[in-house]
Amino acid sequence: MGQSGSGKSTCMNIIGCLDVPSDGTYLLDGRDVGQMNKNELAEIRNELLGFIFQQYNLLPKLNLIENVEVPLMYAGVSRAERRERARVALELVGLGDKLRHKPNQLSGGQQQRVSIARALVGEPAVILADEPTGALDSRTGREVLGLLQSLHAAGNTVVLITHDNSIAVQAQRIIRLEDGHVIYDGPADAPEAVVTPKVSGGEGGRPA
């Protein structure tokens, strides 16, 4: 959690093996990410990580099942197996009746569900969600957040990046960043976990 420029995206890129740390050590499943080459980084991303982005990043010419299959194609999974695993993942997010639809036939919330299915299809150890509700209206955002909470309850580790207090407090743990530094790491229900927005001062510095 943190405001724009606090280091959230950099932190996520390091966790997700998209960037390597310039200092210190990051171990993922006991392996030193900083010592890996590009091929090794790509392999560990495919094995252990699932990504959910704010803008969905779906391929418009592919139907839903084909979109969800994409990570499995890179992993060398057979066509029959990846088709079945994509179908199961789409059913899990409530889109089992829309397998042949194209992304432009779906609402924003449904497209985000497809991106969640794509993240799940590789059975990752960690799901990284970068502002997954940022492009959605409040009701649809709550639905997507509820789905992520269900996945967590089922045993998935979910790392969610947000600047929204109302979303952050629904987690079990908050790591708050400011200017690239961790300034809080602990339970979400602790008083110091959430920042109180600063109010512009009027005369004498009193709240306007």
Side-chain angles (χ1 to χ4, degrees):
M1 183 184 180
Q3 298 300 314
S4 296
S6 62
K8 299 189 305 298
S9 294
T10 300
C11 183
M12 182 179 180
N13 286 347
I14 291 174
I15 294 172
C17 300
L18 298 171
D19 289 332
V20 295
S22 54
D23 194 12
T25 303
Y26 168 38
L27 301 179
L28 179 58
D29 197 29
R31 298 157 70 182
D32 187 348
V33 171
Q35 301 301 313
M36 294 181 181
N37 60 37
K38 290 183 178 180
N39 290 336
E40 289 171 326
L41 289 170
E43 182 179 345
I44 202 168
R45 281 196 302 269
N46 220 20
E47 288 178 359
L48 298 178
L49 304 168
F51 295 87
I52 302 169
F53 301 100
Q54 181 176 334
Q55 299 299 332
Y56 323 136
N57 291 343
L58 303 178
L59 300 173
K61 294 184 179 181
L62 302 184
N63 64 34
L64 302 196
I65 202 164
E66 290 168 338
N67 263 284
V68 174
E69 284 181 331
V70 168
L72 300 181
M73 293 176 64
Y74 288 113
V77 176
S78 70
R79 188 176 187 276
E81 182 182 346
R82 67 177 185 250
R83 183 61 49 100
E84 176 61 15
R85 286 169 62 175
R87 181 190 63 78
V88 170
L90 284 163
E91 288 182 349
L92 182 65
V93 299
L95 293 173
D97 59 340
K98 293 179 168 54
L99 303 181
R100 304 297 174 184
H101 283 55
K102 298 288 181 65
N104 64 5
Q105 295 176 286
L106 305 179
S107 68
Q110 289 172 325
Q111 290 186 61
Q112 188 60 291
R113 286 174 179 267
V114 177
S115 73
I116 292 172
R118 182 182 56 197
L120 291 174
V121 75
E123 301 174 351
V126 179
I127 297 169
L128 297 169
D130 188 4
E131 300 274 8
T133 63
L136 305 175
D137 62 76
S138 58
R139 181 185 63 81
T140 307
R142 286 193 297 271
E143 291 176 356
V144 168
L145 189 60
L147 177 57
L148 291 174
Q149 289 172 325
S150 297
L151 294 172
H152 175 255
N156 295 93
T157 295
V158 179
V159 179
L160 188 148
I161 290 182
T162 185
H163 64 271
D164 188 334
N165 281 337
S166 66
I167 292 175
V169 295
Q170 297 183 57
Q172 292 182 344
R173 173 185 177 189
I174 289 178
I175 300 172
R176 187 149 48 84
L177 303 176
E178 186 175 291
D179 298 329
H181 297 281
V182 175
I183 59 172
Y184 176 80
D185 181 357
D189 57 0
E192 61 271 28
V194 177
V195 176
T196 302
K198 295 179 181 178
V199 180
S200 299
E203 290 186 9
R206 294 179 180 178

